[in-house]
Amino acid sequence: MPRIISPEALASLRKHYPAGCRVELVRMNDPFNVTLYEGCLGTVTGVDDIGTIHVDWDCGSSLGVAYGEDACRVREKQEGE
């Protein structure tokens, strides 16, 4: 069953994870995921109405980060990026 996200939490997610920001995967609670692992990097394409953070992962995956189940963090620009 999908988790319900409040309008305030959704607005906060969209502010914290704007399209184009770089993220690092912290955890993915998906037993069928075979391509993503802790530390994978990607670029946010958007946050949908249920709070899923959609990411174009550098490894080629586009699996979303599910609100309340998975976690990622904004990655600050590193020197040379």
Side-chain angles (χ1 to χ4, degrees):
M1 174 183 279
R3 293 179 184 247
I4 303 298
I5 185 169
S6 71
E8 297 80 16
L10 184 58
S12 178
L13 275 177
R14 287 180 169 153
K15 182 177 180 181
H16 192 73
Y17 297 101
C21 80
R22 296 284 289 164
V23 293
E24 179 178 352
L25 185 64
V26 173
R27 75 173 180 282
M28 174 89 36
N29 186 20
D30 183 343
F32 301 105
N33 168 38
V34 295
T35 58
L36 296 174
Y37 51 87
E38 181 180 336
C40 280
L41 302 175
T43 304
V44 172
T45 59
V47 177
D48 68 18
D49 291 342
I50 61 170
T52 300
I53 302 166
H54 293 276
V55 179
D56 280 341
W57 297 101
D58 294 354
C59 66
S61 176
S62 59
L63 196 57
V65 179
Y67 175 74
E69 291 294 322
D70 308 324
C72 65
R73 64 175 153 245
V74 173
R75 181 176 164 89
E76 299 302 322
K77 277 199 163 194
Q78 304 296 310
E79 192 172 320
E81 287 186 332

